[in-house]
Amino acid sequence: MEFVRSISHPEEVIALLQYRFGTIESISPKLDDDKPKNFSAQMCYHLLNKTSRSFAAVIQALDGELRHAVCIFYVVLRALDTIEDDMTINIDKKIPLLQTFHERLQEPGWKYTESKEKDRIVLEQFPYVIEEFSNLNESYRIVISDVCKKMADGMVLFLANKVNTIQEFDDYCHYVAGLVGIGLSQLFAASQLEDHIVGEDHKLANSLGLFLQKSNIIRDYLEDQEEGREFWPKDVWSKYASKLSDFQQSAHREKGLHCLNELVTNTLQHVPDVITYLARLRNQSVFNFCAIPQVMAIATLERCYSNPAVFTSVVKIRKGEAVRMMVDATNMDSIKSFFGKFAKLIEQRIVSTDPGAEETRHSCQTVLTLTSDGALQSNFRFWPVYISCALLLIAILWAYWVGVSNVYRAV
């Protein structure tokens, strides 16, 4: 089915074939002596693959000991996030669980078996995570524990409070994603695969996380509504409706699109920091790890912009499109090309009746100026492949027709 959806995009068909045969270097697990040998490490990678929808492949493609540190970092934060997301845990119990979670990293054998969340396996098998955490270099342990504590404090802050203002929107995204960007950057620097400035510039690292998180929050409107969660800031949506859920009704659809577009525009402000951050990276595996999610985020924003389907269904980019990004998002020229392409597509859909039209146009122009020197190979390089396949198909059909005709003549 994915091949059918991408049939008019030859570069995506080629990327899907590469994905099918496991030849995409940016997400191919490293085959070296650093592969996990002991059972607890193997379990951590099992948990990573079990719970990650998008990061497992790029994490396992990282170089050297950084791969294991990031794997443990991800699984620890996934466990913390599972507690926060579990609506069956009473808030009086959830708050101390979150506040003391970073301390559990020092308690061999600790686990939590009362969660009903889909990723509860991480909490149930947490002793293996603790064991591997204890085996990490101290510089990695300090970063992971510190981020875990700060993130939990932020989660507690927003447990009883909804996101009302734009500042609170930024604060929430900082706690759940910006801190991840900061922590990862510190791990990159600690591994010495990246320069110390990457780990020290928290502003850029925070923007990396905010850009991803805001894109996801925009896309996940319907899912969050169905789960009883609200992350769109009230100061924005209250300008267009009395309740955030109103946007699901066709009568409020136009106002809903205005609100949606305002949030997309707000998210685009982080692109300059994202471009600057990525341009600093020197290690190829780290660059791939950071760049691939960012180009998927800008593609998601483009797909969501002025799209009423956000309020009624799940908006996704084509798998072929996502895989092509995995193939091509390996250098700054390609990154700039992707960002410029999607900013241009957003700009082309701006309508003058949208109250935020001028601000959105300005944001798109800023991105286009930053990415004007990006270059991606033309799609036309794939047409010879398509033509060859078409000729082969014609030849097969001709042979089939001739064979059938001969049978009928014999009869």
Side-chain angles (χ1 to χ4, degrees):
M1 180 58 71
E2 295 298 339
F3 283 97
V4 174
R5 293 179 65 195
S6 295
I7 197 68
S8 61
H9 303 272
E11 72 285 356
E12 294 180 16
V13 174
I14 300 300
L16 283 168
L17 288 171
Q18 290 178 270
Y19 181 76
R20 179 67 59 85
F21 291 104
T23 60
I24 302 177
E25 185 175 350
S26 61
I27 59 169
S28 296
K30 300 291 183 180
L31 299 175
D32 57 27
D33 293 336
D34 293 320
K35 291 190 71 175
K37 297 179 177 65
N38 58 317
F39 184 72
S40 60
Q42 292 172 12
M43 277 299 300
C44 287
Y45 282 92
H46 170 71
L47 294 172
L48 171 68
N49 287 298
K50 190 84 173 174
T51 59
S52 173
R53 292 177 292 180
S54 53
F55 288 111
V58 285
I59 288 175
Q60 291 173 93
L62 286 167
D63 288 338
E65 66 179 21
L66 176 63
R67 181 186 325 128
H68 197 54
V70 173
C71 172
I72 302 306
F73 185 46
Y74 177 89
V75 177
V76 166
L77 297 186
R78 172 55 62 192
L80 180 67
D81 193 53
T82 300
I83 292 175
E84 186 211 18
D85 286 345
D86 194 334
M87 305 302 287
T88 67
I89 302 176
N90 182 279
I91 192 167
D92 292 333
K93 186 175 184 178
K94 182 180 290 189
I95 289 176
L97 267 175
L98 291 172
Q99 290 176 326
T100 61
F101 189 80
H102 68 286
E103 299 173 5
R104 307 306 178 196
L105 295 171
Q106 312 295 335
E107 296 182 19
W110 183 88
K111 60 183 176 180
Y112 185 75
T113 58
E114 299 174 32
S115 175
K116 300 296 187 294
E117 270 293 295
K118 64 182 188 316
D119 291 334
R120 60 185 177 274
I121 186 175
V122 183
L123 291 165
E124 294 168 350
Q125 303 296 331
F126 206 69
Y128 298 114
V129 181
I130 294 172
E131 183 176 345
E132 286 307 303
F133 173 81
S134 67
N135 292 333
L136 291 175
N137 183 286
E138 184 182 12
S139 60
Y140 296 143
R141 297 201 309 271
I142 291 172
V143 170
I144 295 172
S145 181
D146 181 59
V147 170
C148 190
K149 182 182 186 306
K150 290 176 179 176
M151 184 178 290
D153 289 342
M155 289 175 170
V156 169
L157 183 65
F158 282 95
L159 271 180
N161 302 303
K162 291 188 176 181
V163 178
N164 292 311
T165 67
I166 286 292
Q167 184 58 56
E168 288 173 351
F169 187 41
D170 284 352
D171 289 345
Y172 174 77
C173 291
H174 163 73
Y175 285 123
V176 301
L179 283 171
V180 179
I182 291 169
L184 285 169
S185 299
Q186 292 173 328
L187 293 179
F188 300 157
S191 73
Q192 299 185 350
L193 292 177
E194 295 295 346
D195 191 75
H196 64 89
I197 189 63
V198 172
E200 293 171 356
D201 195 333
H202 292 184
K203 178 180 179 293
L204 295 188
N206 186 59
S207 286
L208 211 70
L210 263 62
F211 186 67
L212 289 182
Q213 186 66 21
K214 289 184 178 182
S215 300
N216 290 339
I217 286 174
I218 291 169
R219 179 200 61 199
D220 293 340
Y221 165 87
L222 186 62
E223 179 183 332
D224 287 334
Q225 282 292 298
E226 291 173 344
E227 294 292 331
R229 300 187 294 254
E230 291 187 356
F231 298 112
W232 286 24
K234 185 177 181 180
D235 278 3
V236 176
W237 62 257
S238 62
K239 292 188 289 185
Y240 307 100
S242 58
K243 300 192 302 292
L244 183 55
S245 58
D246 287 347
F247 298 145
Q248 295 178 65
Q249 303 168 19
S250 57
H252 294 85
R253 198 57 45 78
E254 183 178 6
K255 293 290 188 181
L257 290 177
H258 292 164
C259 178
L260 168 65
N261 294 346
E262 183 172 341
L263 291 177
V264 170
T265 303
N266 172 272
T267 306
L268 287 172
Q269 70 176 312
H270 300 294
V271 171
D273 281 353
V274 170
I275 297 295
T276 302
Y277 181 96
L278 294 176
R280 279 182 177 170
L281 301 178
R282 296 292 175 262
N283 178 271
Q284 187 64 58
S285 73
V286 172
F287 183 89
N288 297 343
F289 173 82
C290 294
I292 290 172
Q294 298 298 321
V295 294
M296 290 189 182
I298 187 68
T300 298
L301 280 183
E302 183 274 324
R303 203 56 44 86
C304 289
Y305 182 79
S306 214
N307 186 353
V310 170
F311 306 114
T312 59
S313 61
V314 179
V315 175
K316 290 183 178 181
I317 57 178
R318 293 184 303 276
K319 183 175 181 178
E321 194 172 10
V323 174
R324 195 216 170 181
M325 292 174 197
M326 294 177 188
V327 173
D328 289 334
T330 56
N331 58 75
M332 282 308 300
D333 277 348
S334 293
I335 297 305
K336 289 181 177 181
S337 178
F338 278 124
F339 272 86
K341 167 190 170 183
F342 291 118
K344 188 66 177 176
L345 288 172
I346 291 174
E347 185 183 47
Q348 290 170 351
R349 297 211 304 279
I350 297 173
V351 294
S352 58
T353 54
D354 190 310
E358 285 308 310
E359 190 175 352
T360 306
R361 188 172 287 108
H362 174 74
S363 295
C364 289
Q365 282 298 320
T366 299
V367 176
L368 289 168
T369 300
L370 282 171
T371 60
S372 59
D373 58 340
L376 198 60
Q377 285 184 286
S378 170
N379 294 347
F380 290 110
R381 76 189 195 274
F382 293 108
W383 282 113
V385 177
Y386 265 36
I387 292 171
S388 298
C389 291
L391 291 174
L392 178 61
L393 180 60
I394 291 170
I396 293 171
L397 291 173
W398 174 259
Y400 175 77
W401 183 80
V402 170
V404 171
S405 297
N406 290 336
V407 169
Y408 276 109
R409 289 196 190 96
V411 173

